[in-house]
Amino acid sequence: MKNFVVKTIANAAALAVAIWLLKGITLSGENTARKVVTLFLVALVFGAVNFIVKPVVKLLSFPLFILTLGLITLVINALMLLLTSWLADRLDLAFHVAGFWSALVGGVIISIVAWAMHVILPDEND
């Protein structure tokens, strides 16, 4: 359970940094509390997408992974972010990614920040 909470906090922080840095990724709400709740709900959706869909996509794209020396991972991360945006729209969450390029840069930012947050935050193994 602690690991789930740590991953959700790391995803929320990473999404917040991407929203702050990129104009193409937006989060809207009436007030700050509503934005924070929306951010954590989007982080949960993003975590579910990465847990359920991403392994299947990585398995199916394994030949491309070898062919591109791993650069296809950037595209997969962008697609997972776009899928999260689509699901957030279906769930009436005020989160939107404007296009592929915003998703690509956002995926890189989210990966870096999430990695840094996992280094900083305690884990069950600690």
Side-chain angles (χ1 to χ4, degrees):
M1 181 66 177
K2 185 178 176 184
N3 196 23
F4 173 75
V5 172
V6 168
K7 286 186 180 201
T8 303
I9 291 170
N11 281 338
L15 285 165
V17 171
I19 291 164
W20 179 60
L21 290 176
L22 298 174
K23 288 183 181 181
I25 301 177
T26 58
L27 178 76
S28 55
E30 299 86 37
N31 55 32
T32 304
R34 181 71 177 153
K35 286 182 182 180
V36 169
V37 169
T38 302
L39 180 64
F40 276 101
L41 290 174
V42 170
L44 288 171
V45 171
F46 185 67
V49 165
N50 281 328
F51 181 74
I52 297 168
V53 178
K54 192 173 183 177
V56 174
V57 172
K58 283 179 112 176
L59 179 67
L60 294 175
S61 66
F62 185 70
L64 286 174
F65 183 82
I66 299 218
L67 187 66
T68 63
L69 302 174
L71 291 177
I72 193 70
T73 304
L74 297 173
V75 174
I76 292 171
N77 288 343
L79 293 175
M80 295 303 109
L81 192 56
L82 286 171
L83 179 60
T84 300
S85 175
W86 182 79
L87 288 171
D89 183 49
R90 298 289 175 248
L91 296 171
D92 290 328
L93 298 173
F95 174 76
H96 181 69
V97 179
F100 178 76
W101 295 110
S102 294
L104 187 70
V105 175
V108 171
I109 292 169
I110 289 169
S111 295
I112 292 169
V113 174
W115 170 80
M117 291 299 294
H118 286 294
V119 169
I120 294 170
L121 291 173
D123 198 0
E124 284 183 353
N125 298 333
D126 292 344

